[in-house]
Amino acid sequence: MSPAAGDSTKVVKRSGGSSSNAVYKDRSKPSDIRSSNMVAAKAVADAIRTSLGPKGMDKMIQDGKGEVTITNDGATILKEMNVVHPAARMLVELSKAQDIEAGDGTTSVVVLAGSLLEAAGKLLAKGLHPTAIAEGFRSAGNKCVEILRNEVSVPLNIEDREVVTKCAATSLNSKVVSQQSSLLAPIAVDAVFRVVDPSSPNSVDLHDIRVSTVLGGTVEDTELIDGLLLNQKVSCGPRKVEKAKIGLIQFCISPPKTDMDMTVVVSDYQQMDRILREERNQILETIKKIRAAGCNVLLIQKSILR
């Protein structure tokens, strides 16, 4: 049957079905990436969630060398874990930043971040845009800071040693040494007060404080040494020096060497004796200069070659 006059026949050719499927897949890819990031981050948070608080459990971690670490500190646990996923690595860096900035709360920030990501996943399932969720979290964070500063926080005088000691003891209550917090908290406070700069009391370089472990004894034997502790055995010589003047050098006490590889051919024993005599004179000149400086205790980074 032929079409009637005035009627038109339209033939629609559908092509590019594979490209439309590709577009659909591309649209679903961002959500898959977000879901993967959230799952990885929540896995890290769940791994250390049980170590939070004074009732938290310690974690036993064994590295590739067979060394075992037992701790409930979030920064230590995450540092020992081999985290590869980029989003999970962000939580590890978050814990490190918290440890550097405050020295405590390394587990809390990771657990809190994991909970926020879980809440964000529920909001994404309802159709909210990620930017809107981020703005809401940012506004809520600003409001929380405002409430904490104006209504909850208590002003602290950094020179009040008793209050600072209580704060240090509170941080130690969730550690393995919680039973010795009354002993270790005053030692930690005294150590910080000895290295703090009075002009900037809010900034302390913790690298100026060294914690040295010695085999034998118990935690109760811990003491604070106002000075430098060298874990070095004394084979001979004096063991105690009063009013010591310490000299530090970073080079070997040895005959000087040439800047380039050279070979010296000696054909006469008198020339050899002359070379050895010059080397001894060089070492003697170096020792005389050190002696003239007035130091009676010399710390050498490298070695002494005779």
Side-chain angles (χ1 to χ4, degrees):
M1 181 183 295
S2 60
D7 293 340
S8 61
T9 304
K10 295 182 180 180
V11 178
V12 180
K13 182 179 181 181
R14 298 185 178 272
S15 62
S18 59
S19 62
S20 62
N21 293 335
V23 172
Y24 178 77
K25 291 182 180 178
D26 291 339
R27 288 179 179 176
S28 63
K29 189 174 182 179
S31 61
D32 295 339
I33 295 175
R34 284 194 296 266
S35 177
S36 174
N37 293 338
M38 294 169 64
V39 169
K42 286 192 294 184
V44 173
D46 292 338
I48 64 173
R49 188 185 301 273
T50 55
S51 64
L52 179 64
K55 301 293 185 179
M57 296 181 292
D58 296 338
K59 302 292 184 181
M60 179 181 293
I61 306 172
Q62 183 177 9
D63 58 10
K65 298 180 181 179
E67 298 181 358
V68 178
T69 303
I70 300 176
T71 180
N72 65 351
D73 180 63
T76 305
I77 296 173
L78 294 177
K79 182 175 66 175
E80 296 294 335
M81 292 173 60
N82 187 16
V83 181
V84 180
H85 197 281
R89 288 292 307 172
M90 291 182 65
L91 290 187
V92 177
E93 297 300 326
L94 174 65
S95 181
K96 289 181 180 179
Q98 177 70 13
D99 190 21
I100 295 172
E101 183 68 22
D104 194 21
T106 54
T107 305
S108 301
V109 292
V110 176
V111 173
L112 182 60
S115 300
L116 290 176
L117 286 174
E118 184 177 359
K122 296 178 181 179
L123 295 176
L124 287 172
K126 294 181 179 180
L128 272 72
H129 196 274
T131 305
I133 297 175
E135 290 293 336
F137 281 165
R138 187 175 295 108
S139 300
N142 295 333
K143 186 62 177 179
C144 290
V145 171
E146 179 183 350
I147 294 174
L148 290 174
R149 287 181 176 178
N150 299 332
E151 302 179 12
V152 180
S153 63
V154 178
L156 173 64
N157 184 9
I158 197 66
E159 297 180 357
D160 191 348
R161 190 179 294 266
E162 181 179 358
V163 177
V164 176
T165 303
K166 291 181 179 179
C167 295
T170 302
S171 299
L172 291 173
N173 284 336
S174 61
K175 309 302 178 185
V176 179
V177 293
S178 58
Q179 297 181 355
Q180 289 82 18
S181 60
S182 59
L183 170 67
L184 299 179
I187 293 178
V189 172
D190 291 339
V192 171
F193 272 97
R194 293 188 185 187
V195 301
V196 68
D197 187 4
S199 60
S200 58
N202 294 328
S203 178
V204 180
D205 188 2
L206 296 180
H207 292 92
D208 295 335
I209 303 174
R210 179 187 176 189
V211 180
S212 180
T213 57
V214 181
L215 293 177
T218 61
V219 179
E220 284 76 10
D221 298 329
T222 304
E223 60 178 326
L224 176 64
I225 298 177
D226 189 8
L228 182 64
L229 174 64
L230 299 177
N231 191 8
Q232 185 71 29
K233 294 182 179 180
V234 179
S235 58
C236 61
R239 294 178 177 270
K240 186 176 183 180
V241 179
E242 297 287 347
K243 298 181 180 179
K245 294 183 179 179
I246 303 174
L248 303 175
I249 61 175
Q250 296 180 340
F251 53 87
C252 292
I253 298 182
S254 61
K257 296 182 180 180
T258 58
D259 296 335
M260 60 184 68
D261 294 335
M262 296 182 63
T263 303
V264 179
V265 179
V266 180
S267 58
D268 188 0
Y269 72 91
Q270 293 181 350
Q271 295 178 353
M272 176 63 71
D273 184 62
R274 181 182 176 184
I275 292 174
L276 295 176
R277 187 168 58 252
E278 288 295 329
E279 289 181 351
R280 286 194 295 267
N281 291 335
Q282 289 284 350
I283 296 176
L284 185 59
E285 288 295 326
T286 303
I287 295 175
K288 286 181 179 179
K289 292 180 181 179
I290 296 174
R291 181 64 179 174
C295 70
N296 53 6
V297 176
L298 183 62
L299 303 179
I300 306 174
Q301 181 185 15
K302 298 186 179 178
S303 58
I304 301 176
L305 303 179
R306 295 181 293 176

